[in-house]
Amino acid sequence: MSGVTSPAGAFSTRADRFRQRGLAVGLVTAVGLTAGCSVVGGGSDDGSDDSRSVVLVTHDSFSYDEEVVAAFERESGIDLDIRQSGDAGELTNSLVLSRDNPIGDVAFGVDSTFAGRALAEGVFEDYRSPRAERGADDYRVADSDALTAIDVGDVCLNIDREWFAESDVPAPTGLDDLLDPAYRDLLVVQDPATSSPGLAFLLATIAHAGEDGWRDYWTGLRDNGVRVTGGWTEAYTQDFSGSSGNGPRPIVVSYASSPAAEIGADGTPRTEALLDTCYQQVEYAGVLAGTDRPEDARAVVDFLLSEPFQAQLAEYMYVYPVRADVELPEAWREAAPLPEESVTLPADEVEGNRDEWVSEWRDLVLG
């Protein structure tokens, strides 16, 4: 079918957003962050473990300001042993499979699309941080205390402002606009089976069109020439005209934060996130059930909600802090404000239908 390509590559995670900056800021500062490797602290030189070492299991996109983590270690007496475990889906799967013999003490990176599974499988024990009332409580899952929201990274349509300014086509404002023949062959999206933003966008269309209408919506997108790629990197850096790759398509599925990476010399972003098309994607942390260091694990959750850690999230992970009292960088406030009314679906509904929805989508769109 015209405009549709088959998926390629591995599951695309939020690590992709580091590439959109053309920098390795987070990855460079996180040197040594490899699976099973303690990057700070983690025992004495003779191999004994006489310290208060806490294993934080997270995804491959985790990045941070080393000075902030070092300050936490000094003040708490805890050595933070950070171990990465793939993307959000792989992380969740690892936690579920190891729940009877947990692979760590605390985990960070289970997101909205997999939160229902983690809760259903009893991966985390209940813990409500005293800092949760400063914003994290706004993103609670099913009124549970087992998961604590740490950051928000909404997935939205992004447009190339210059392309639309120079064309005879008005910029779209919402999802329904994309069905208009005026936008034929202008949109590139990611396969929800292989891409985190692709899955979030599928969920956005289901929330928008409903269970009875989302298939017709995607049939319309297919017939209007939507292009499908395996992951964010290909879609944003090769197909999207608003990135440095100067691709042919001026509409792409990306993040609400993406325009902050596309600010020109005049201070104006080349791109714009359409805030009426966003799906709310939240990342959570929690104390793993069965840990023998529950108090120290809770202290790590508290740390992830601390002002110093929350304040560096935008720079190091390109996500929005959940704390209401932490300001975004000035460039973000102008170019990439946090959407006020993103759509979302209940965690249990996503968990109960995710695989079937993705399978149906692939049959419908890719054939």
Side-chain angles (χ1 to χ4, degrees), residues 5 30 55 78 82 89 103 125 159 185 214 252 256 259 269 273 294 309 315 327 335 343:
T5 63
V55 175
I78 294 172
I82 300 173
I103 56 177
E125 68 174 41
I159 62 169
D185 299 333
W214 74 267
V252 67
F309 186 84
E315 178 183 358
E327 291 190 357
V343 298

Side-chain angles (χ1 to χ4, degrees), residues 123-211:
V123 168
F124 298 98
E125 68 174 41
D126 283 350
Y127 173 63
R128 182 181 179 276
S129 170
R131 293 171 174 165
E133 64 183 17
R134 300 177 186 178
D137 279 345
D138 294 341
Y139 304 96
R140 293 179 73 195
V141 181
D143 295 324
S144 171
D145 287 330
L147 288 172
T148 300
I150 303 299
D151 66 66
V152 183
D154 288 14
V155 172
C156 318
L157 289 175
N158 277 225
I159 62 169
D160 179 351
R161 298 175 65 190
E162 293 181 3
W163 189 96
F164 283 102
E166 296 170 357
S167 74
D168 293 329
V169 181
T173 59
L175 292 173
D176 289 337
D177 290 348
L178 302 181
L179 301 177
D180 191 311
Y183 300 99
R184 179 177 297 277
D185 299 333
L186 300 186
L187 171 65
V188 56
V189 305
Q190 302 87 12
D191 187 336
T194 57
S195 165
S196 178
L199 176 57
F201 183 65
L202 171 59
L203 297 179
T205 64
I206 293 172
H208 173 72
E211 178 61 27

